């Protein structure tokens, strides 16, 4: 059962789906629509959580940045792989829509050991970070659109670490869904509304 979390007073949306399901594109469209409604006063900010650990990932990030700049030229991008809650609170204003892409990579960053030679002190536990994100969503002064993967629909993975990650992501998804007014599942580029704001 998801943790009972009181939704924020500002309307947030959680968009989840499988790989290449159209979830990031839908979040970008939400940002484009937000900007188009009041182009002189509104802003949109993307908080990107990906880290480039190899050349392929670096190429993917660069490609996504170029595609995003073309589709939503008015949206600014900042990178924050760990301190997501702080970034949400810092960026959120009544006239700013914040897009978080994506929660799955953020959780991966929290659970992965730091690279060899990294002298940074250990950060808070993953569960503490997740709790702080729930608080940030409640305190956000403007709308937040969060993107995440649904990876629990396939076969049960064999590895212990992989099973632990699938479990942790499932719990995170449930908590975020409980904290948002709107939840949308994407499949083959098509949206399915799982949760809509109360009338």
């Amino acid at each position: 059962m998801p943790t009972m979390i009181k939704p924020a007073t500002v309307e947030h949306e959680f968009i989840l789906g499988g790989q290449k399901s159209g979830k990031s594109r839908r979040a970008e469209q939400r940002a484009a629509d937000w900007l188009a409604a009041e182009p002189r006063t509104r802003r949109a900010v993307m908080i990107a959580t990906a880290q480039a650990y190899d050349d392929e990932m670096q190429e993917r990030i660069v490609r996504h940045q170029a595609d995003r700049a073309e589709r939503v030229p008015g949206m600014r991008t900042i990178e924050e792989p760990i301190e997501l809650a702080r970034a949400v609170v810092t960026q959120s204003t009544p006239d700013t829509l914040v897009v978080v892409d994506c929660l799955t990579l953020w959780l991966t960053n929290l659970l992965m050991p730091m690279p060899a030679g990294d002298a940074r002190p250990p950060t808070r536990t993953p569960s503490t970070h997740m709790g702080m994100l729930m608080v940030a969503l409640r305190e956000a002064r403007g709308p937040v659109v969060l993107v995440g993967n649904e990876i629990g629909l396939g076969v049960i993975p064999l590895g212990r670490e992989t099973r632990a990650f699938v479990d942790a992501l499932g719990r995170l998804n449930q908590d975020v869904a409980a904290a948002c007014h709107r939840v949308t599942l994407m499949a083959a580029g098509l949206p399915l509304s799982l949760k809509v704001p109360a009338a």
Side-chain angles (χ1 to χ4, degrees):
M1 292 293 292
T3 305
M4 296 305 296
I5 298 171
K6 182 181 178 182
T9 55
V10 176
E11 185 176 309
H12 303 321
E13 181 175 5
F14 183 28
I15 303 172
L16 71 164
Q19 191 78 359
K20 293 300 178 185
S21 61
K23 55 190 183 298
S24 292
R25 184 71 63 92
R26 186 166 181 86
E28 291 171 1
Q29 188 59 54
R30 290 288 196 227
D33 293 344
W34 169 265
L35 292 170
E38 294 287 347
R40 289 184 296 180
T41 59
R42 287 185 172 181
R43 299 187 313 124
V45 177
M46 161 81 73
I47 302 176
T49 63
Q51 297 188 89
Y53 288 110
D54 54 40
D55 292 341
E56 187 275 336
M57 190 62 179
Q58 179 62 48
E59 292 172 3
R60 182 181 290 259
I61 290 172
V62 171
R63 186 170 63 251
H64 286 181
Q65 289 172 339
D67 292 345
R68 200 160 53 236
E70 183 176 334
R71 289 192 292 262
V72 195
M75 182 164 62
R76 185 168 59 94
T77 299
I78 66 169
E79 297 180 2
E80 181 45 67
I82 300 294
E83 299 292 341
L84 181 56
R86 182 175 63 191
V88 168
V89 171
T90 300
Q91 297 299 324
S92 180
T93 68
D95 62 354
T96 301
L97 181 139
V98 174
V99 176
V100 175
D101 196 354
C102 77
L103 292 176
T104 311
L105 289 175
W106 175 61
L107 181 62
T108 301
N109 298 335
L110 294 179
L111 295 176
M112 284 181 61
M114 285 189 291
D118 195 324
R120 291 176 299 172
T123 60
R124 293 171 282 270
T125 65
S127 60
T128 300
H129 277 284
M130 287 185 264
M132 291 170 61
L133 178 60
M134 299 306 110
V135 173
L137 291 176
R138 288 197 302 271
E139 294 181 351
R141 294 180 291 159
V144 181
V145 176
L146 305 108
V147 177
N149 289 80
E150 173 52 73
I151 64 173
L153 299 176
V155 296
I156 299 174
L158 294 176
R160 179 168 60 90
E161 292 82 2
T162 307
R163 286 195 301 272
F165 178 79
V166 173
D167 288 348
L169 182 60
R171 289 190 293 270
L172 174 61
N173 285 349
Q174 289 188 51
D175 285 350
V176 172
C180 292
H181 292 81
R182 187 182 300 274
V183 180
T184 303
L185 177 66
M186 298 297 299
L190 300 174
L192 175 65
S193 294
L194 304 182
K195 181 180 179 182
V196 297

